[in-house]
Amino acid sequence: MRFFFFGSIRKSLLILVLLAVLPALAILLYTGYELCDRVVNDAERYALRQVQAMAAHHERVVDNARLLLMTLAKSSQVQELDVAACQELLADILACNAAYISLSLTDAQGQVLVTVPTTLFEHTGERKFFQDVMRTGTFSVGNYTLLKTEKRRVAVQFVQPVIHSSGHPVGILVADFDLNYFGHIFYDTHLPDQSVFTLTDAKGMRLTRFPETERYTWVDDLPQMVAHMSGRDEEGTFLETGVDGVSRLYSFKRLHFQGASFPYLMIRLGTPVDQALGTARFVMVRNIVLLFLATILALITAHFVAEFSILRQLNRLMISTDKLKAGDLSTRTDMGSEDGELGQLAVAFDSMAEGLERKERERSLAAEQLVRLNEELEERVAQRTEQLAGANRELQSTLEDLQRTQDQLILSEKLAALGELVAGVAHEINTPVGVALSAGSTLVEKNRTLNELFVQGDMKRSDLTTYLEDSQEGTNMILVNLNRASELIRSFKMVAVDQVSENRRTFNVKKYIDEVLLSLRPKIKKTRHRIEVLCDDDLMIESYPGAFSQILTNFIINSLVHAFDPVQAGEIRIEVSRSNGYLELHYRDNGKGMTAEIRDKVFEPFFTTARNQGSTGLGLHIVFNIVSRTLGGTITCQSTPGLGTSFHVAMPV
């Protein structure tokens, strides 16, 4: 039997909301949670305001100390280090400032001149705060120190340099501040019972605590307390149990003092949790009880309402759902829309089952078509893969042919340069050999003439003297020219062999540069250019001289062809040095220079701006390969139109 009042899900849910949700939301969440949160926030804000007030007071103490010491440092008695006057002045100041234990004045060497009433610390030049103040010339805060003459009493030194009117420091003023002074402030605040106020330094040492000051002063603070106060926030609140076993709500703040020798000071104020959060806990307990009662009422009500209006119809839906999940797409609930919202849901379920059955038939057909398409696609992919593999093989073969062609062109360029070198050196050798030949012919003729005179008996002393003089002159001429030809042949032989070989050996860089320049003399002497070489005469390296020769030869030929006009008198500078395991070659000319577009392409193969002059564009490409591959170094080019071109080569040696 179906009750009309529970005839639809909409009406049933409305009853559930009215009976369970509204009371729980109105009584528990709004009244309880808001009040609890407000009480907790008020307690935290109150605690934070109290510790901020304590921190502000400590900062005022430091500011007052700074002002007091700066004022004293400006007085004439202090600047003149008048001991008697300073004794009286410091005594008057100390009598008006009960927070200070003593006031002291020292000279520039740290010797105590005046202390009122008696010094509790031995202020000498060896103490760190004295050295810091004398170095910086500014107000400073020293370390917190446990007094030796007092039991569990901590003081901090405020230090101010005394600057004479001449601008030189003559001493320092020291004020010893007693941390027990904060006890008066703590007790005057009238905090709740069992509240505590603590000062802790950056190393975790508890400097003082109120109350029970002597018991908890100058001992290590609790690690969990230090961890809370050393976090990211400069101030905040936390719940923790103190050394006396009392759980408190702590508020803390880190203080930073300008000129202090320590990074920061941590202060905290703890209020017992039972007092700070008592009201909040009562509200929370009350809300929990109300929430529990409201939940029980809602569950009982929902049970009876659901049993009559929802569960019976849901059971029929669940049975049909299980069959559908098992794969029976022909299942139906056989419920009508007159059964309320669940009836409408059942009708929708039946419609869905019918649609799924129809979709399943369509899916089967689509799956069969997909299988056929996949088979066709795999066949096409295989064909395309075979085509790509063939294209890759052709491309690899073409690349290998190009590489071989490039190697052959580079070798041809080297041999062409060597052939040009041979022709030039042969022409250069022809001159001294011709002179030596002419001198030898003359000597032969002189010798024949003298022999005829000797055979005929007509030889005179003057004839012999003339013959000897001519013979000496001819011999010297032959020797000089043959030595010149020998030097040319030796240099050419060494440079030529190095250019076509890749042997590594030790050689003198300066002498080898001279030999390369000598081999290039047939080209250089036709110009008006001046070549300057800057290199240590004793610089010896172990490397590939042939590679070195090809680099210099290409640089110089490039300058002769591209950098200078035919009638121009240019300058070429070659500078070589060794640094940090690298041989650095700086080559510069003051020729035409290059634009940025040309400069960026100079190392590319077959790139040239003088192809009509027979240039192949392989010279600098060969240089780049030699430097980067053979020598394992780097090469860079800098050029500006009208300002010349420079190359920098760095190679490990």
Side-chain angles (χ1 to χ4, degrees):
M1 180 179 180
R2 188 180 66 215
F3 292 93
F4 173 76
F5 190 75
F6 302 101
S8 68
I9 295 179
R10 184 180 295 106
K11 292 181 180 179
S12 299
L13 291 178
L14 180 61
I15 296 298
L16 291 175
V17 170
L18 292 175
L19 293 179
V21 177
L22 288 180
L25 182 63
I27 296 174
L28 304 181
L29 296 181
Y30 180 76
T31 305
Y33 179 78
E34 290 290 336
L35 180 60
C36 178
D37 187 65
R38 185 169 59 252
V39 170
V40 172
N41 290 337
D42 289 344
E44 291 180 348
R45 285 195 295 269
Y46 173 76
L48 191 58
R49 284 197 303 271
Q50 293 298 324
V51 79
Q52 288 172 345
M54 294 288 189
H57 192 86
H58 197 340
E59 291 174 344
R60 286 197 297 274
V61 167
V62 177
D63 292 338
N64 292 339
R66 180 186 291 108
L67 181 61
L68 174 63
L69 294 181
M70 288 178 63
T71 304
L72 287 174
K74 295 294 184 180
S75 64
S76 59
Q77 299 95 320
V78 173
Q79 291 192 355
E80 297 298 333
L81 301 181
D82 187 343
V83 175
C86 290
Q87 185 79 26
E88 182 179 355
L89 176 62
L90 295 183
D92 293 340
I93 296 298
L94 186 63
C96 299
N97 293 271
Y100 297 103
I101 300 174
S102 67
L103 297 174
S104 303
L105 173 65
T106 71
D107 59 15
Q109 287 72 39
Q111 183 65 36
V112 178
L113 301 179
V114 178
T115 177
V116 177
T118 57
T119 180
L120 296 178
F121 303 94
E122 184 181 355
H123 303 301
T124 64
E126 289 77 14
R127 289 199 173 273
K128 185 176 184 303
F129 71 82
F130 175 84
Q131 298 173 1
D132 292 342
V133 170
M134 293 301 291
R135 185 181 69 256
T136 61
T138 58
F139 175 83
S140 177
V141 181
N143 288 322
Y144 292 88
T145 309
L146 181 66
L147 300 184
K148 298 180 180 179
T149 58
E150 296 286 344
K151 185 178 181 181
R152 295 298 179 186
R153 192 177 184 187
V154 179
V156 60
Q157 297 89 31
F158 299 128
V159 190
Q160 172 67 33
V162 179
I163 308 300
H164 195 264
S165 58
S166 61
H168 301 289
V170 296
I172 63 170
L173 283 168
V174 182
D176 299 318
F177 178 77
D178 187 3
L179 291 187
N180 286 339
Y181 177 74
F182 287 102
H184 303 292
I185 302 173
F186 173 77
Y187 294 118
D188 292 343
T189 308
H190 301 294
L191 296 171
D193 293 338
Q194 293 187 325
S195 296
V196 295
F197 175 68
T198 307
L199 281 79
T200 305
D201 65 11
K203 298 179 180 179
M205 177 66 69
R206 186 187 293 114
L207 302 177
T208 187
R209 179 184 184 271
F210 304 102
E212 299 181 278
T213 303
E214 291 188 3
R215 180 179 178 184
Y216 297 112
T217 294
W218 205 255
V219 294
D220 291 335
D221 206 344
L222 294 177
Q224 60 269 29
M225 296 288 187
V226 177
H228 283 299
M229 296 186 295
S230 302
R232 181 179 59 184
D233 298 330
E234 294 288 331
E235 61 182 23
T237 58
F238 60 91
L239 288 173
E240 194 58 73
T241 302
V243 293
D244 53 2
V246 178
S247 179
R248 294 182 176 88
L249 173 64
Y250 287 96
S251 57
F252 73 91
K253 184 175 179 64
R254 290 200 299 267
L255 299 179
H256 303 269
F257 303 114
Q258 182 179 2
S261 59
F262 50 87
Y264 54 81
L265 174 68
M266 298 179 289
I267 66 173
R268 70 175 181 269
L269 178 65
T271 305
V273 173
D274 292 337
Q275 297 185 24
L277 303 180
T279 303
R281 287 184 173 179
F282 170 76
V283 173
M284 292 175 63
V285 172
R286 183 190 65 188
N287 288 348
I288 291 173
V289 173
L290 292 176
L291 177 61
F292 178 76
L293 294 176
T295 303
I296 296 298
L297 178 61
L299 290 175
I300 294 174
T301 303
H303 174 74
F304 286 104
V305 172
E307 181 66 27
F308 287 97
S309 63
I310 300 175
L311 293 181
R312 293 180 181 179
Q313 297 178 4
L314 283 179
N315 286 335
R316 296 177 64 181
L317 278 173
M318 290 298 297
I319 294 172
S320 299
T321 303
D322 291 339
K323 292 181 180 180
L324 185 65
K325 183 175 66 174
D328 185 6
L329 300 181
S330 62
T331 183
R332 301 292 184 270
T333 62
D334 297 328
M335 294 173 59
S337 58
E338 66 275 5
D339 293 325
E341 283 81 358
L342 285 179
Q344 297 176 7
L345 179 61
V347 172
F349 176 84
D350 293 342
S351 177
M352 180 190 67
E354 182 179 356
L356 287 175
E357 188 175 12
R358 183 176 62 255
K359 293 293 184 182
E360 177 63 21
R361 291 193 298 267
E362 296 175 355
R363 187 197 63 79
S364 299
L365 294 175
E368 294 176 359
Q369 295 178 357
L370 183 60
V371 170
R372 291 194 299 270
L373 290 175
N374 284 339
E375 293 175 352
E376 295 176 359
L377 181 60
E378 290 177 358
E379 183 178 355
R380 292 179 182 177
V381 169
Q383 294 175 355
R384 186 59 178 168
T385 302
E386 181 62 26
Q387 294 174 358
L388 289 176
N392 286 336
R393 288 192 293 271
E394 294 178 0
L395 182 60
Q396 182 65 29
S397 176
T398 303
L399 183 60
E400 292 174 355
D401 291 341
L402 287 175
Q403 185 66 38
R404 286 194 296 271
T405 302
Q406 182 177 359
D407 293 341
Q408 292 174 359
L409 286 174
I410 292 176
L411 179 60
S412 299
E413 182 71 14
K414 291 182 179 180
L415 294 177
L418 183 60
E420 187 176 353
L421 177 63
V422 170
V425 171
H427 181 271
E428 189 70 15
I429 293 175
N430 186 56
T431 299
V433 170
V435 173
L437 181 61
S438 177
S441 300
T442 302
L443 282 178
V444 171
E445 180 64 26
K446 294 288 185 180
N447 186 58
R448 186 186 59 79
T449 302
L450 183 63
N451 185 52
E452 290 178 354
L453 292 176
F454 177 75
V455 171
Q456 296 173 2
D458 297 332
M459 185 176 65
K460 303 176 183 178
R461 183 181 182 86
S462 59
D463 294 332
L464 181 60
T465 301
T466 302
Y467 170 77
L468 291 176
E469 291 175 354
D470 293 341
S471 177
Q472 180 67 32
E473 182 181 357
T475 304
N476 290 338
M477 185 178 297
I478 292 173
L479 183 61
V480 168
N481 283 276
L482 289 180
N483 283 334
R484 180 183 174 192
S486 175
E487 182 67 20
L488 285 171
I489 292 172
R490 186 191 63 80
S491 298
F492 164 71
K493 179 181 178 182
M494 180 174 293
V495 174
V497 171
D498 287 337
Q499 284 189 353
V500 297
S501 66
E502 296 183 356
N503 294 328
R504 184 181 181 93
R505 64 181 176 85
T506 301
F507 61 95
N508 184 292
V509 178
K510 178 64 166 59
K511 292 181 179 179
Y512 197 77
I513 293 175
D514 293 339
E515 291 172 355
V516 173
L517 294 177
L518 183 60
S519 67
L520 294 174
R521 184 178 175 185
K523 286 184 173 293
I524 298 173
K525 73 177 186 177
K526 298 177 183 180
T527 68
R528 300 166 57 196
H529 308 317
R530 184 173 66 88
I531 299 180
E532 180 183 6
V533 179
L534 298 179
C535 180
D536 187 0
D537 292 339
D538 299 327
L539 178 58
M540 301 289 294
I541 65 170
E542 182 181 355
S543 186
Y544 299 94
F548 197 78
S549 170
Q550 291 179 27
I551 293 172
L552 277 180
T553 301
N554 278 283
F555 282 165
I556 295 173
I557 296 300
N558 254 25
S559 294
L560 296 180
V561 174
H562 300 282
F564 303 111
D565 292 329
V567 297
Q568 184 179 356
E571 293 182 1
I572 296 176
R573 181 186 181 95
I574 302 173
E575 184 176 353
V576 183
S577 62
R578 180 171 16 206
S579 175
N580 299 325
Y582 278 82
L583 184 73
E584 297 189 1
L585 168 63
H586 295 269
Y587 179 89
R588 301 181 182 87
D589 65 49
N590 62 345
K592 302 175 182 178
M594 297 179 286
T595 63
E597 181 180 1
I598 296 177
R599 182 195 61 207
D600 295 338
K601 297 181 180 180
V602 293
F603 296 120
E604 295 181 3
F606 307 111
F607 175 78
T608 179
T609 58
R611 197 172 301 277
N612 57 347
Q613 301 179 26
S615 177
T616 63
L618 289 175
L620 290 181
H621 178 65
I622 293 174
V623 170
F624 181 83
N625 287 336
I626 290 173
V627 173
S628 60
R629 296 180 183 177
T630 304
L631 301 179
T634 59
I635 180 172
T636 57
C637 175
Q638 299 291 333
S639 184
T640 303
L643 299 179
T645 301
S646 66
F647 292 91
H648 175 252
V649 178
M651 62 188 78
V653 293

